[in-house]
Structures are given as C-alpha cells and as structure tokens.
Amino acid sequence: MAYESGALDATLAAAAGDDPALFAELRKAFAESLDKQIDLLKRSRCDGNWNVAAMRLKGLAASFHAEELVILADEALEAAPGEPTIVRRLEVFQKEFSALTD
C-alpha cells in the first residue's frame, strides 16, 4: 500500500488555510508523530503494548483522515505482536510520506 495524499493533505490544507508555512508545519508534526508511533509499535513486546501502539496509530490516522494509515493500523490490531509484514508496510508508508515532507 502506497501513501496517497488525498484526504490527509485536504485535512491539512483546511486546517492551514492559505498559510503554506502552517501547512508545512502540520505535515512535519504529523510525520514526527507517525515516526514516534511506529517506533513504539516496533518496540512492543507484548499484546498490550502492541495494541496500545496500534490504537495510537489509528487515532493519529483518523484525526488527519489518513485512510491508508487507518487500514494499516487496523491490520496491526489484528496481527500478532511484532508481525514483521505489518511493520514493513508501515515503514513504507512512513518513508513515502516523509519523502514528500522533506
């Protein structure tokens, strides 16, 4: 699943209005939060920590209308803790989003 900017960028644009600096700052804040939540997920060693990290990712995604990330977070919630395929897919999303943010 590749990052698609549609709804997420529309949400950020609505929040930033006509201020491109604020838009860039919001994208950066989203990217930093995404990095942190994926790191927490990767370091989870039990069901409880994995589920909390996945729910935080889902909350972040829902707050910014990032549908692709909501789907990935749901998949993480259904997966076993440490499932490498979901972690890799989240990292791909993260890298693609960050590449557009830099």
Side-chain angles (χ1 to χ4, degrees):
M1 177 175 296
Y3 165 71
E4 295 177 17
S5 63
L8 173 58
D9 283 346
T11 300
L12 295 174
D18 292 330
D19 186 343
L22 180 56
F23 180 82
E25 187 177 328
L26 290 171
R27 280 185 67 82
K28 182 179 177 187
F30 178 86
E32 288 171 354
S33 187
L34 178 62
D35 292 348
K36 180 179 177 183
Q37 299 313 318
I38 290 174
D39 180 58
L40 289 172
L41 188 75
K42 291 183 339 187
R43 291 187 292 120
S44 297
R45 299 291 178 251
C46 67
D47 290 354
N49 290 343
W50 177 268
N51 286 335
V52 167
M55 287 300 295
R56 286 181 179 174
L57 269 173
K58 186 173 181 176
L60 173 67
S63 295
F64 285 88
H65 301 271
E67 295 300 321
E68 300 88 4
L69 186 56
V70 169
I71 292 167
L72 289 170
D74 281 337
E75 290 176 11
L77 285 166
E78 295 173 9
E83 174 57 45
T85 57
I86 189 63
V87 170
R88 280 193 299 270
R89 292 176 63 208
L90 283 163
E91 290 174 331
V92 167
F93 179 93
Q94 176 186 32
K95 285 179 186 176
E96 290 176 356
F97 180 83
S98 293
L100 296 174
T101 302
D102 295 337

